[in-house]
mmCIF file of all heavy atoms in Angstrom:
data_model
loop_
_atom_site.group_PDB
_atom_site.id
_atom_site.type_symbol
_atom_site.label_atom_id
_atom_site.label_comp_id
_atom_site.label_asym_id
_atom_site.label_seq_id
_atom_site.Cartn_x
_atom_site.Cartn_y
_atom_site.Cartn_z
ATOM 1 N N TYR A 1241 -11.497 12.435 -2.370
ATOM 2 C CA TYR A 1241 -11.043 13.807 -2.244
ATOM 3 C C TYR A 1241 -9.517 13.877 -2.384
ATOM 4 O O TYR A 1241 -8.795 13.178 -1.675
ATOM 5 C CB TYR A 1241 -11.441 14.390 -0.888
ATOM 6 C CG TYR A 1241 -12.919 14.627 -0.724
ATOM 7 C CD1 TYR A 1241 -13.803 13.570 -0.558
ATOM 8 C CD2 TYR A 1241 -13.433 15.917 -0.715
ATOM 9 C CE1 TYR A 1241 -15.161 13.787 -0.400
ATOM 10 C CE2 TYR A 1241 -14.788 16.146 -0.549
ATOM 11 C CZ TYR A 1241 -15.641 15.081 -0.393
ATOM 12 O OH TYR A 1241 -16.982 15.300 -0.241
ATOM 13 N N TYR A 1243 -6.106 16.834 -3.225
ATOM 14 C CA TYR A 1243 -5.759 18.240 -3.083
ATOM 15 C C TYR A 1243 -4.325 18.483 -3.579
ATOM 16 O O TYR A 1243 -3.468 17.607 -3.463
ATOM 17 C CB TYR A 1243 -5.826 18.663 -1.610
ATOM 18 C CG TYR A 1243 -7.119 18.316 -0.929
ATOM 19 C CD1 TYR A 1243 -7.337 17.037 -0.413
ATOM 20 C CD2 TYR A 1243 -8.129 19.258 -0.806
ATOM 21 C CE1 TYR A 1243 -8.530 16.711 0.201
ATOM 22 C CE2 TYR A 1243 -9.331 18.946 -0.171
ATOM 23 C CZ TYR A 1243 -9.520 17.674 0.321
ATOM 24 O OH TYR A 1243 -10.708 17.344 0.925
ATOM 25 N N TYR A 1245 -1.405 21.408 -2.754
ATOM 26 C CA TYR A 1245 -0.978 22.545 -1.961
ATOM 27 C C TYR A 1245 0.422 22.957 -2.406
ATOM 28 O O TYR A 1245 1.200 22.124 -2.873
ATOM 29 C CB TYR A 1245 -0.916 22.190 -0.469
ATOM 30 C CG TYR A 1245 -2.241 22.096 0.231
ATOM 31 C CD1 TYR A 1245 -2.966 20.916 0.221
ATOM 32 C CD2 TYR A 1245 -2.770 23.184 0.920
ATOM 33 C CE1 TYR A 1245 -4.184 20.824 0.879
ATOM 34 C CE2 TYR A 1245 -3.983 23.103 1.584
ATOM 35 C CZ TYR A 1245 -4.684 21.927 1.554
ATOM 36 O OH TYR A 1245 -5.892 21.834 2.213
ATOM 37 N N GLN A 1247 3.846 25.101 -0.693
ATOM 38 C CA GLN A 1247 4.401 25.584 0.564
ATOM 39 C C GLN A 1247 5.667 26.369 0.263
ATOM 40 O O GLN A 1247 6.650 25.813 -0.205
ATOM 41 C CB GLN A 1247 4.714 24.431 1.524
ATOM 42 C CG GLN A 1247 5.151 24.892 2.901
ATOM 43 C CD GLN A 1247 5.360 23.746 3.876
ATOM 44 O OE1 GLN A 1247 5.819 22.672 3.499
ATOM 45 N NE2 GLN A 1247 5.007 23.953 5.133
ATOM 46 N N ASP A 1307 -11.302 9.416 8.262
ATOM 47 C CA ASP A 1307 -11.171 10.067 9.551
ATOM 48 C C ASP A 1307 -10.838 11.542 9.400
ATOM 49 O O ASP A 1307 -10.442 12.190 10.357
ATOM 50 C CB ASP A 1307 -10.076 9.384 10.385
ATOM 51 C CG ASP A 1307 -8.702 9.499 9.734
ATOM 52 O OD1 ASP A 1307 -8.627 9.950 8.573
ATOM 53 O OD2 ASP A 1307 -7.707 9.137 10.381
ATOM 54 N N TYR A 1308 -11.010 12.067 8.196
ATOM 55 C CA TYR A 1308 -10.722 13.452 7.882
ATOM 56 C C TYR A 1308 -9.250 13.799 7.982
ATOM 57 O O TYR A 1308 -8.881 14.958 7.921
ATOM 58 C CB TYR A 1308 -11.542 14.416 8.748
ATOM 59 C CG TYR A 1308 -12.926 14.630 8.202
ATOM 60 C CD1 TYR A 1308 -13.990 13.909 8.705
ATOM 61 C CD2 TYR A 1308 -13.147 15.516 7.171
ATOM 62 C CE1 TYR A 1308 -15.248 14.080 8.198
ATOM 63 C CE2 TYR A 1308 -14.412 15.698 6.647
ATOM 64 C CZ TYR A 1308 -15.460 14.977 7.157
ATOM 65 O OH TYR A 1308 -16.718 15.147 6.649
ATOM 66 N N TYR A 1310 -5.680 14.043 6.359
ATOM 67 C CA TYR A 1310 -5.031 14.033 5.059
ATOM 68 C C TYR A 1310 -3.847 13.077 5.085
ATOM 69 O O TYR A 1310 -3.125 13.004 6.073
ATOM 70 C CB TYR A 1310 -4.455 15.411 4.732
ATOM 71 C CG TYR A 1310 -5.378 16.443 4.162
ATOM 72 C CD1 TYR A 1310 -6.752 16.365 4.276
ATOM 73 C CD2 TYR A 1310 -4.845 17.555 3.517
ATOM 74 C CE1 TYR A 1310 -7.572 17.350 3.762
ATOM 75 C CE2 TYR A 1310 -5.652 18.540 2.991
ATOM 76 C CZ TYR A 1310 -7.018 18.435 3.113
ATOM 77 O OH TYR A 1310 -7.820 19.416 2.605
ATOM 78 N N GLY A 1313 1.610 13.249 0.012
ATOM 79 C CA GLY A 1313 2.734 12.688 -0.716
ATOM 80 C C GLY A 1313 4.023 13.288 -0.203
ATOM 81 O O GLY A 1313 4.017 14.168 0.665
ATOM 82 N N PHE B 1136 -6.935 19.912 13.281
ATOM 83 C CA PHE B 1136 -5.867 18.926 13.146
ATOM 84 C C PHE B 1136 -4.522 19.550 13.494
ATOM 85 O O PHE B 1136 -4.290 20.737 13.254
ATOM 86 C CB PHE B 1136 -5.814 18.398 11.708
ATOM 87 C CG PHE B 1136 -7.123 17.831 11.237
ATOM 88 C CD1 PHE B 1136 -8.087 18.654 10.690
ATOM 89 C CD2 PHE B 1136 -7.393 16.484 11.367
ATOM 90 C CE1 PHE B 1136 -9.310 18.139 10.269
ATOM 91 C CE2 PHE B 1136 -8.605 15.965 10.944
ATOM 92 C CZ PHE B 1136 -9.566 16.796 10.394
ATOM 93 N N TYR B 1138 -0.521 18.796 12.601
ATOM 94 C CA TYR B 1138 0.436 18.056 11.794
ATOM 95 C C TYR B 1138 1.844 18.417 12.244
ATOM 96 O O TYR B 1138 2.128 19.556 12.608
ATOM 97 C CB TYR B 1138 0.292 18.411 10.311
ATOM 98 C CG TYR B 1138 -0.928 17.820 9.653
ATOM 99 C CD1 TYR B 1138 -2.168 18.407 9.803
ATOM 100 C CD2 TYR B 1138 -0.829 16.661 8.899
ATOM 101 C CE1 TYR B 1138 -3.289 17.862 9.204
ATOM 102 C CE2 TYR B 1138 -1.939 16.101 8.293
ATOM 103 C CZ TYR B 1138 -3.169 16.713 8.455
ATOM 104 O OH TYR B 1138 -4.272 16.154 7.872
ATOM 105 N N GLN B 1140 5.803 18.507 10.905
ATOM 106 C CA GLN B 1140 6.564 18.521 9.668
ATOM 107 C C GLN B 1140 8.048 18.700 9.987
ATOM 108 O O GLN B 1140 8.461 19.748 10.479
ATOM 109 C CB GLN B 1140 6.094 19.634 8.725
ATOM 110 C CG GLN B 1140 6.750 19.591 7.366
ATOM 111 C CD GLN B 1140 6.199 20.629 6.397
ATOM 112 O OE1 GLN B 1140 5.705 21.674 6.805
ATOM 113 N NE2 GLN B 1140 6.273 20.335 5.102
ATOM 114 N N SER B 1145 7.262 15.840 4.312
ATOM 115 C CA SER B 1145 5.857 16.195 4.198
ATOM 116 C C SER B 1145 5.204 16.183 5.581
ATOM 117 O O SER B 1145 5.689 15.524 6.507
ATOM 118 C CB SER B 1145 5.145 15.219 3.255
ATOM 119 O OG SER B 1145 5.288 13.897 3.710
ATOM 120 N N TYR B 1153 -12.476 17.194 17.448
ATOM 121 C CA TYR B 1153 -13.735 17.661 16.891
ATOM 122 C C TYR B 1153 -14.657 18.280 17.931
ATOM 123 O O TYR B 1153 -15.575 19.030 17.589
ATOM 124 C CB TYR B 1153 -14.476 16.504 16.216
ATOM 125 C CG TYR B 1153 -13.604 15.694 15.287
ATOM 126 C CD1 TYR B 1153 -13.250 14.387 15.603
ATOM 127 C CD2 TYR B 1153 -13.126 16.235 14.100
ATOM 128 C CE1 TYR B 1153 -12.438 13.646 14.754
ATOM 129 C CE2 TYR B 1153 -12.311 15.498 13.248
ATOM 130 C CZ TYR B 1153 -11.979 14.201 13.577
ATOM 131 O OH TYR B 1153 -11.172 13.476 12.736
ATOM 132 N N ASP B 1197 -14.715 20.360 3.687
ATOM 133 C CA ASP B 1197 -13.855 19.279 3.196
ATOM 134 C C ASP B 1197 -12.511 19.748 2.688
ATOM 135 O O ASP B 1197 -11.819 19.036 1.949
ATOM 136 C CB ASP B 1197 -14.553 18.457 2.113
ATOM 137 C CG ASP B 1197 -15.730 17.685 2.666
ATOM 138 O OD1 ASP B 1197 -15.615 17.167 3.792
ATOM 139 O OD2 ASP B 1197 -16.762 17.609 1.989
ATOM 140 N N LYS B 1198 -12.119 20.965 3.051
ATOM 141 C CA LYS B 1198 -10.772 21.442 2.740
ATOM 142 C C LYS B 1198 -10.131 21.863 4.057
ATOM 143 O O LYS B 1198 -10.811 22.292 4.984
ATOM 144 C CB LYS B 1198 -10.821 22.645 1.789
ATOM 145 C CG LYS B 1198 -11.512 22.355 0.480
ATOM 146 C CD LYS B 1198 -11.476 23.551 -0.437
ATOM 147 C CE LYS B 1198 -12.335 24.688 0.054
ATOM 148 N NZ LYS B 1198 -13.777 24.336 -0.013
ATOM 149 N N LEU B 1199 -8.824 21.733 4.122
ATOM 150 C CA LEU B 1199 -8.105 22.178 5.314
ATOM 151 C C LEU B 1199 -7.424 23.510 5.042
ATOM 152 O O LEU B 1199 -6.764 23.683 4.006
ATOM 153 C CB LEU B 1199 -7.059 21.156 5.739
ATOM 154 C CG LEU B 1199 -7.571 19.819 6.285
ATOM 155 C CD1 LEU B 1199 -6.424 19.001 6.854
ATOM 156 C CD2 LEU B 1199 -8.646 20.016 7.327
ATOM 157 N N GLY B 1202 -2.397 26.942 9.240
ATOM 158 C CA GLY B 1202 -1.607 28.038 9.757
ATOM 159 C C GLY B 1202 -0.192 27.950 9.204
ATOM 160 O O GLY B 1202 0.172 26.985 8.518
#
Side-chain angles (χ1 to χ4, degrees):
Chain A
Y1241 290 73
Y1243 308 83
Y1245 284 86
Q1247 186 176 36
D1307 63 351
Y1308 277 97
Y1310 277 19
Chain B
F1136 305 86
Y1138 286 80
Q1140 186 175 27
S1145 57
Y1153 312 111
D1197 293 321
K1198 301 183 291 292
L1199 291 188

